[in-house]
């Protein structure tokens, strides 16, 4: 399970990041969407945004899904930075 938080916090999201980067390297373009999600959970805001932008270019058929995640990223970042 890639998205489960462990007792130490975000270690599983780090594993998810690595898995997504590996999948991207193997040519699976849609892994960029999950990479953006993993990076967002790791609070790597700019990298997450860049991953979503790259996914949008690589997967134009997923435009709505990616734009939804971009909005989610902006809301999450704002919430995290202002709590």
């Amino acid at each position: 399970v890639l998205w489960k938080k462990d007792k130490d916090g975000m270690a599983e999201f780090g594993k998810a990041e690595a898995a997504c980067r590996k999948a991207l390297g193997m040519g699976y373009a849609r892994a960029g969407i999950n990479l953006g999600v993993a990076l967002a959970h790791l609070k790597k805001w700019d990298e997450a945004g860049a991953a979503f932008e790259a996914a949008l270019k690589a997967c134009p058929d997923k435009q709505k899904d990616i734009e939804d995640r971009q909005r989610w990223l902006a809301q999450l970042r704002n919430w995290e930075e202002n709590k």
Side-chain angles (χ1 to χ4, degrees):
V1 176
L2 293 177
W3 307 111
K4 182 180 169 189
K5 290 184 186 179
D6 67 356
K7 65 180 180 190
D8 297 320
M10 298 298 184
E12 294 299 318
F13 290 110
K15 291 178 186 177
E17 176 187 0
C20 291
R21 289 189 190 281
K22 182 177 180 179
L24 281 169
M26 295 170 38
Y28 185 64
R30 291 185 180 176
I33 300 168
N34 289 333
L35 175 60
V37 172
L39 291 167
H41 282 285
L42 292 168
K43 300 179 185 177
K44 296 181 179 180
W45 311 122
D46 294 335
E47 287 182 63
F52 288 138
E53 283 298 319
L56 195 54
K57 290 176 185 167
C59 306
D61 60 313
K62 294 293 184 182
Q63 180 176 353
K64 183 182 180 321
D65 294 336
I66 297 166
E67 288 174 347
D68 288 346
R69 283 165 181 81
Q70 287 173 315
R71 282 188 290 279
W72 166 78
L73 173 64
Q75 292 170 347
L76 179 63
R77 182 177 188 168
N78 183 55
W79 182 77
E80 286 287 343
E81 291 178 347
N82 292 301
K83 64 178 179 177

